[in-house]
Structure formats: structure tokens, C-alpha cells
Amino acid sequence: MSQPDFQLSRPADECRIVVAMSGGVDSSVVAALAAKTGAEVIGITLQLYDHGEATGRTGSCCAGQDIRDARAVAEKLGIAHYVFDYESRFRESVIDDFADEYMAGRTPIPCIRCNQGVKFKDLLGMARDLGADCLATGHYVRRVMGENGAELHRGADPARDQSYFLFATTPDQLDYLRFPLGGMPKQEVREIARELGLAVAMKPDSQDICFVPDGDYAKIVKKVRPEAGEGGEIVTRDGTVLGAHQGLIHFTVGQRRGLEIGGQPEPLYVVRLEPETRRVVVGPKSALAVAAARIEDVNWLGEAFEGPMTAKVRSLAKPVSARFDGAMLVFDMPEYGVSPGQAAVLYSGDRILGGGWIAETVAAEEALAA
């Protein structure tokens, strides 16, 4: 069995490690690895939501069966396990924000909001209150000690890397966090779970938006904000009406399918959403090219950085060369799929420098005309 370094400052048998246990295979293996160090281990599970069918759905997280799975793993490992009801906090800080962002015509990323608040603020505070030496999670990122302290780096397995979702981690939080799976491929993690006889060894991974039953996010948004189902017009950039829609929540920038405006001379894509007029504005693919983006609420992980960097503007996108002056992110080449509400994460090689939220974009066409 692999035994990653938890980077403890004292002998392990004198330490206490708190593990965030979601009920999945990743956090279960983290708990097992922590217990193997000889430290006292406490597993904490936060019940985050209870949306009926979501609690029993394959790929959910932190609800229903997941809580039972976490408890069963803790019992098998012989570690303490506690469950805390954070449903109200999660609804206010993540689900309500998710709905409001869609209502405002932006594309939200609830996983980052969850890490920012419930997981890396509230849960970390709990771990400190318990006198723990660190909080360990099952994220696939690496904590590397550099010349100026702890740095956050991509996970060794590119297919599992979760660094995009953790850009808002603060230096103080990073000092206290541990990510023991960051150097492993998923296959090895599952093998450890099988060797230990953990029932979650082959449990499917949680989905991107864990609290959305069947992936129908529009249903959740309308449940939280009933007015979200109000329709409007689908128009071209010059205002020509091409059709109607049943709510902005059904669209994201860059979307092509589902517009139901056939008979056009060329494929049309969602270029922007206008919540004030409830209009969906469409245009050719060339209209999606973005030259720059204004970034808000920037978080730097460590010292300010002025060297060559790359930027990632979607979780599944490849990092691209860019320049950042603290407010404007300028791409070396036009980038597609850049949407307000999403995150722009900055890298130097494998190191995560930080990032922020995309507030607005500058179309490549506009930049050329300026």
C-alpha cells in the first residue's frame, strides 16, 4: 500500500488528523492512509442537502447513502466519525448563489463556492477547534513546499487533477490542508480500497454538480427561484428576432444545441445572455472568440507573480498562454468558451498561482476594431 507523506511537524503518534469524509472512495482511502500513520484520526461528514432522489442517486455526495457509507468506512477503520448538518449553510452559500448566478445570465461553478466556504472555511475551522494538526481531503492536487512556504500544484494524474476548483484556497488554509492523493492515479486509489476491503472501492465518482438530481439543474434553479422559468426572445446581435425560449437558465455561452431556430444560413451559438431583457443573443462561432476578460475577487496563492503564465477558463479546458495585470486577463491568442461567472485560474507550469472570477469579456472582434 502506498503511504504518502502527511507532512506532520510532530511524530505521527502524537498527532491528530481530521479527514473530510464525503462517503466516496477518495476520502475513504485518505482516512485509511491517515490511520496507517499511527495518528489519531477523526472523520467528519457534512450533510449538505436532502433533495429526495439525489440522496440515493449514484454519483451524489454528502447526503443519504453517502453518509452511511462514510460511517461504515470509519467503523471498519476503527476511527471516530461525526456527522454535522450543514444543509442550511450549504443552501445559502452554494445553492442560492448557483440559482442567482443563472438568473443573472452567468455560468456558476458551485464546486468552487463549496470549497471556498463550507469545506475550506467551516470544516477547517472545526478541525482546528478539535486541536487537529491538519485537515486532509481527497482532492487530486499536490501540496509542495517551496522557498516561501506551501505551494499548490496540479495533481500528478492529468485526468484527475482538481486544481481548477481550488484556486480560491488561501495561503493560511494551504498551510493546514493536506492532499495525500495528489501524487496517485485513481486506479491506485481504488486498489488500496480493494486491499482494505472497503465497500466503496468501486463506488462511482460524484458528479460535477452533486446536488442536482439527474443533472437537471434548471429544475433546481426553478425550485429555488420560481421566476427563473420566464421566457423571452432569441435574437441576433443586431436585434433580429429568430425565436422564443422558456428561460435563460436553459442556456450557457457557447451553446449550440437546443436553440430550435433552424433554417439559418450558418450554425448559430449563444454569444451572451441579457437578464434585463431576458434575451438570448446568438451569433456565428467567430463571435465567441474572446481577446481578454476582466477578473474580479482575485486570490493569490503566495507572492505576486510577474513571469510567464497560463490561464484556464473552464474546468475541462487546456491552459493557454496569457498575461494578467491584476484586473484584465489578456490571451495571447483568442480563446473560446469564456463565460462570465466562471473562474480564470492562473498557472506557472504545474503550480497554481491563484485566480478569480470572470466578470465580463472583450470579444476578439471588438479588440481588433479598437
Side-chain angles (χ1 to χ4, degrees):
M1 179 191 298
S2 295
Q3 183 56 51
D5 181 7
F6 276 79
Q7 300 176 321
L8 301 172
S9 60
R10 300 185 294 159
D13 59 3
E14 299 177 9
C15 292
R16 174 178 293 167
I17 300 173
V18 166
V19 177
M21 298 184 69
S22 66
V25 63
D26 297 327
S27 60
S28 296
V29 168
V30 169
L33 294 173
K36 194 172 177 61
T37 66
E40 178 189 2
V41 178
I42 299 175
I44 293 182
T45 300
L46 302 181
Q47 179 178 323
L48 299 182
Y49 59 90
D50 183 13
H51 285 178
E53 60 189 284
T55 62
R57 176 175 61 85
T58 298
S60 65
C61 164
C62 305
Q65 183 60 46
D66 307 294
I67 294 174
R68 293 188 285 274
D69 288 343
R71 181 178 295 117
V73 168
E75 289 178 358
K76 186 172 183 61
L77 297 175
I79 65 173
H81 178 249
Y82 302 98
V83 179
F84 293 90
D85 184 355
Y86 262 61
E87 187 175 343
S88 295
R89 173 88 166 99
F90 185 74
R91 182 174 60 249
E92 294 169 0
S93 63
V94 178
I95 298 179
D96 286 353
D97 176 79
F98 176 78
D100 290 341
E101 285 289 279
Y102 266 112
M103 291 285 290
R106 294 188 288 266
T107 305
I109 311 177
C111 295
I112 296 178
R113 295 297 187 189
C114 182
N115 288 328
Q116 272 186 301
V118 174
K119 289 183 179 176
F120 284 3
K121 184 177 292 183
D122 298 341
L123 184 52
L124 190 145
M126 274 188 213
R128 282 185 164 143
D129 288 343
L130 287 168
D133 292 79
C134 64
L135 170 66
T137 80
H139 290 100
Y140 284 84
V141 292
R142 290 177 294 140
R143 179 180 181 274
V144 177
M145 293 306 297
E147 293 182 2
N148 298 307
E151 300 174 353
L152 192 63
H153 288 237
R154 301 179 203 271
D157 183 350
R160 304 300 308 177
D161 171 50
Q162 293 175 300
S163 60
Y164 179 81
F165 299 102
L166 300 181
F167 83 86
T169 306
T170 67
D172 180 61
Q173 291 169 343
L174 187 57
D175 282 341
Y176 193 67
L177 289 163
R178 300 293 186 272
F179 308 106
L181 305 187
M184 299 183 193
K186 182 75 174 204
Q187 183 179 355
E188 182 178 353
V189 173
R190 290 199 182 278
E191 183 58 34
I192 292 172
R194 282 193 294 268
E195 291 174 0
L196 293 172
L198 301 183
V200 297
M202 297 309 296
K203 185 175 181 178
D205 294 333
S206 60
Q207 299 182 1
D208 286 343
I209 305 178
C210 62
F211 59 86
V212 179
D214 300 327
D216 188 356
Y217 62 83
K219 179 180 177 181
I220 290 295
V221 174
K222 284 190 285 188
K223 182 178 179 179
V224 177
R225 300 286 185 266
E227 65 274 23
E230 295 180 7
E233 297 173 331
I234 299 176
V235 302
T236 61
R237 290 179 293 170
D238 64 8
T240 302
V241 178
L242 300 180
H245 66 81
Q246 300 302 312
L248 293 180
I249 58 173
H250 298 289
F251 303 92
T252 57
V253 172
Q255 181 176 331
R256 178 182 173 186
R257 295 183 178 181
L259 294 175
E260 299 181 356
I261 48 173
Q264 303 303 314
E266 62 179 329
L268 295 177
Y269 300 78
V270 176
V271 174
R272 68 177 180 273
L273 302 172
E274 297 181 347
E276 299 83 2
T277 61
R278 299 200 304 277
R279 281 183 162 188
V280 174
V281 181
V282 298
K285 186 175 182 179
S286 60
L288 292 173
V290 168
R294 183 169 62 83
I295 311 301
E296 293 181 334
D297 299 327
V298 177
N299 176 65
W300 286 106
L301 263 168
E303 71 282 0
F305 188 85
E306 298 180 354
M309 65 176 62
T310 57
K312 191 173 183 179
V313 293
R314 299 181 310 284
S315 62
L316 298 179
K318 292 182 178 180
V320 297
S321 296
R323 305 181 306 281
F324 185 57
D325 63 6
M328 293 299 297
L329 178 65
V330 181
F331 303 105
D332 288 358
M333 297 291 292
E335 180 69 1
Y336 291 80
V338 186
S339 176
Q342 293 197 322
V345 181
L346 309 175
Y347 297 83
S348 173
D350 281 341
R351 182 185 176 186
I352 297 88
L353 301 172
W357 297 97
I358 299 171
E360 60 182 338
T361 60
V362 178
E365 294 175 337
E366 295 178 21
L368 287 173

